[in-house]
Amino acid sequence: MTSETITAESAGTWHLGDLPVRRVGFGAMRLTGSAAFHLGDPSDRERSLAVLRRAVELGVNHIDTAAFYFSSLRSANELINNALAPYADDLVIATKVGPYRDWSGEWGTSARPEDLRGHVEENLRQLGRDHLDVVYLRRMRQDSIAEHFGALAELRAAGLVRHLALSDVEPRHLAEAQAIAPVVSVQNRYGLGFHDPATDALLAQCRAQGIAFVPFYAIAGEAGPRGAGTAHEEEVRAVALAHGASPAQVRIAWTLHQGPNVLAIPGTGNPDHLAENVAAGALRLTDEELARLDGARTG
């Protein structure tokens, strides 16, 4: 594959509510440092800004971020604002609320329903916007999400939020939220290197209802925030070799093959990796290859 010549258009499009997005987007979590959140060394600012601008040049129009994505010197939202504002009309920025980190980077108590307006307004300030395109309620172990989601529905009615979404939920939480307001997207941990039957059921539920499903750690697998996964490497490498692709590209391609409503938001602070990730949207796996990878995942 010649990554430099392939754009995000090759992956096709889906809609987050009334907002069309290309199925390969960009996750901003790794823009701020050598590891997720406050771990590792702060990123090079100019390089991070260049990665964001290059993503848009490659046709990416869906960026996933959060106010709690920051390192000791870098804020993902601030980088996005500086690199991309004034924003293109077709650029969709999705953010998450619920978790909270204090000024030192330590995780605080998860938000109460009445705290969510402050979380939304902080994202608005950092991004330099007067409304947020998509806001995910990131569930923080609470059994019911009704009060939290209801608070976001009020902000949607007030015009601060355009569309609502859910993260780290079970099928019952999706039904609970839908009784309050429309849900345009669900974001759970999912990928070739991470198997959770409950999330498979949630994906099927989203597919049946035409709701976008946006996995996180799709490349990292079991490694999660630590980096790219190595599970099932033999099968992944064999498929990658057949296509002249990288293992990470195969993992992204497998994710996109799970349904037209499945989006990818791989994150990186490396411009070469960015081009590879975007190019993975053009990788078409055969039925035999998909079966081989599926067998490794479920075996």
Side-chain angles (χ1 to χ4, degrees):
M1 300 180 70
T2 306
S3 299
E4 292 77 9
T5 63
I6 300 175
T7 71
E9 293 181 0
S10 64
T13 62
W14 190 257
H15 282 72
L16 299 176
D18 62 344
L19 303 174
V21 296
R22 296 186 178 105
R23 293 180 62 216
V24 173
F26 180 79
M29 184 179 70
R30 297 190 181 278
L31 278 179
T32 64
S34 61
F37 307 117
H38 61 293
L39 306 175
D41 300 319
S43 62
D44 179 85
R45 177 177 171 77
E46 293 305 316
R47 189 186 199 199
S48 293
L49 294 173
V51 166
L52 282 163
R53 291 170 182 142
R54 183 58 179 155
V56 172
E57 290 173 359
L58 288 171
V60 170
N61 69 341
H62 173 211
I63 295 178
D64 182 86
T65 186
F68 53 84
Y69 288 175
F70 64 87
S71 67
S72 58
L73 296 178
R74 305 282 176 260
S75 156
N77 283 352
E78 183 270 336
L79 290 166
I80 291 167
N81 189 346
N82 275 269
L84 303 179
Y87 300 108
D89 290 342
D90 69 338
L91 181 64
V92 175
I93 300 178
T95 189
K96 289 170 286 297
V97 297
Y100 168 75
R101 293 172 64 205
D102 65 23
W103 62 269
S104 69
E106 294 300 316
W107 290 102
T109 304
S110 59
R112 298 182 299 274
E114 60 268 25
D115 297 330
L116 293 179
R117 184 182 185 103
H119 286 211
V120 166
E121 290 178 346
E122 181 64 18
N123 279 280
L124 289 170
R125 282 191 294 271
Q126 292 178 2
L127 291 166
R129 308 196 72 178
D130 58 9
H131 77 278
L132 298 175
D133 296 324
V134 180
V135 172
Y136 286 88
L137 173 64
R138 170 78 176 193
R139 185 175 72 96
M140 298 294 291
R141 296 178 296 278
Q142 62 264 43
D143 183 62
S144 170
I145 62 169
E147 287 189 58
H148 289 76
F149 195 78
L152 287 182
E154 292 178 3
L155 298 179
R156 174 176 173 266
L160 296 182
V161 177
R162 190 162 179 176
H163 295 295
L164 300 179
L166 298 173
S167 179
D168 199 24
V169 294
E170 302 171 10
R172 63 188 176 91
H173 297 119
L174 175 57
E176 187 178 32
Q178 287 175 310
I180 299 169
V183 175
V184 303
S185 181
V186 173
Q187 188 177 111
N188 269 34
R189 184 172 182 173
Y190 178 84
L192 183 55
F194 179 80
H195 185 213
D196 174 27
T199 300
D200 289 349
L202 183 60
L203 170 57
Q205 186 177 350
C206 290
R207 186 186 298 119
Q209 298 184 35
I211 297 170
F213 187 83
V214 187
F216 60 85
Y217 297 150
I219 298 178
E222 293 286 356
R226 297 189 303 277
T230 58
H232 320 311
E233 200 64 42
E234 179 182 349
E235 293 83 359
V236 173
R237 286 190 178 279
V239 174
L241 182 63
H243 288 272
S246 70
Q249 287 178 314
V250 170
R251 292 175 189 276
I252 294 170
W254 179 90
T255 300
L256 293 172
H257 276 71
Q258 302 312 302
N261 65 314
V262 179
L263 313 183
I265 49 168
T268 182
N270 183 313
D272 293 333
H273 291 167
L274 168 69
E276 289 183 5
N277 291 343
V278 171
L283 182 56
R284 303 292 183 257
L285 304 178
T286 67
D287 291 343
E288 180 180 346
E289 288 168 337
L290 287 169
R292 180 176 186 178
L293 294 171
D294 290 343
R297 179 174 183 260
T298 59

